[in-house]
Amino acid sequence: MVNAMLEVVRVPVLSDNYVWLMHDVASGETVVIDPAVAEPVLAAAAARGWTIGQIWNTHWHGDHVGGNAAIKAATGCSITGPAAEADRIGTLDRTVSEGDVVRIGGHVATVMEVPAHTAGHIAYHLAEDAIVFVGDTLFAMGCGRLFEGTAAQMFNNMARLGGLPDDTSVYCAHEYTLSNGRFALGVEPDNEALAARVAAVEAARARGEATVPTTIGLERATNIFMRARDVEELAQRRAAKDAA
Ligand code: ZN
Ligand code: FE
């Protein structure tokens, strides 16, 4: 995926995690988003002749920060993550919160606080490049579980992320799309865009293909959590999915 001279590479790790390597052609800088582990990420960078200069974390869970220390030991990179979770992550060089700016070369990412999956969860939005890294807050046709927050917070997150331009590429941290889509079809059986997407996802997964990144426009049409009309509806859908 090449986006205005930013190249984003998917590194599949563990059972269903995606680590994202983002490379700026102009400056030669490379950022890793949410390295669950180190070795496959270092190998993916080395295979392209890239040197990792930064890690950006979205939240404290081990499958998002587990590679921090080893990647830093190997590269000397700096690590940025949510101020509210600095104590839990432990390896951060820079802590950020709502509205802070982080950079890769001449490209700018603005930090969005999107609490609910964890209390300090953040997203990194590159508005000029139409890219957002959402960690475990927004998934293709899904949203993160509410481990440390409320349905009201997640409703607000869906409204904020759903308010980004339709062509924004959404980089989620897990391949949960098929399970999310099948559940969503039970909730919105008459949504033709959703039915078509689930059929396409079933075919893609059968071929062993990834279904992430997605886009904000696609999520607005097919994501039952983003489409929930109020907090109550989101809460009911999230509880039903948890129990499914
Ligand atoms: Zn998580
Ligand atoms: Fe995760």
Side-chain angles (χ1 to χ4, degrees):
M1 289 145 275
V2 178
N3 194 314
M5 305 306 286
L6 280 179
E7 191 171 349
V8 184
V9 170
R10 179 193 309 101
V11 185
V13 301
L14 307 181
S15 59
D16 53 33
N17 276 81
Y18 291 138
V19 177
W20 301 102
L21 267 177
M22 180 166 64
H23 179 75
D24 173 42
V25 176
S27 66
E29 288 187 41
T30 303
V31 175
V32 180
I33 294 88
D34 282 354
V37 294
E39 288 309 324
V41 179
L42 290 165
R48 292 166 176 80
W50 299 348
T51 302
I52 295 166
Q54 300 181 62
I55 294 170
W56 298 350
N57 293 140
T58 63
H59 67 293
W60 67 267
H61 286 162
D63 65 315
H64 299 256
V65 306
N68 277 12
I71 292 173
K72 182 171 182 172
T75 65
C77 70
S78 72
I79 309 179
T80 297
E85 299 184 355
D87 290 348
R88 303 193 81 160
I89 298 174
T91 46
L92 299 182
D93 299 298
R94 181 184 173 198
T95 60
V96 291
S97 50
E98 177 71 32
D100 284 344
V101 162
V102 294
R103 293 173 198 277
I104 168 173
H107 302 262
V108 171
T110 304
V111 173
M112 300 173 69
E113 291 186 352
V114 286
H117 178 71
T118 64
H121 200 301
I122 60 175
Y124 296 88
H125 178 219
L126 293 93
E128 292 281 314
D129 299 289
I131 289 173
V132 65
F133 294 97
V134 295
D136 287 355
T137 293
L138 173 63
F139 294 116
M141 296 184 278
C143 74
R145 287 179 181 247
L146 309 178
F147 288 126
E148 300 178 3
T150 64
Q153 288 176 317
M154 188 58 87
F155 184 80
N156 186 48
N157 296 339
M158 293 298 107
R160 288 190 72 194
L161 292 168
L164 299 180
D166 276 357
D167 67 352
T168 306
S169 293
V170 179
Y171 291 87
C172 322
H174 291 273
E175 178 66 57
Y176 291 160
T177 313
L178 187 53
S179 160
N180 287 338
R182 286 174 174 163
F183 177 79
L185 258 188
V187 176
E188 287 195 1
D190 299 328
N191 182 333
E192 290 177 16
L194 175 58
R197 187 179 185 188
V198 172
V201 164
E202 284 180 336
R205 295 303 292 156
R207 294 191 299 266
E209 295 172 5
T211 65
V212 181
T214 176
T215 65
I216 292 295
L218 198 48
E219 295 313 307
R220 286 169 57 84
T222 61
N223 186 309
I224 60 163
F225 300 99
M226 190 173 278
R227 294 165 63 77
R229 284 160 294 191
D230 52 33
V231 172
E232 198 59 30
E233 191 167 63
L234 185 145
Q236 184 271 327
R237 290 174 175 184
R238 184 63 264 179
K241 178 68 168 72
D242 289 348

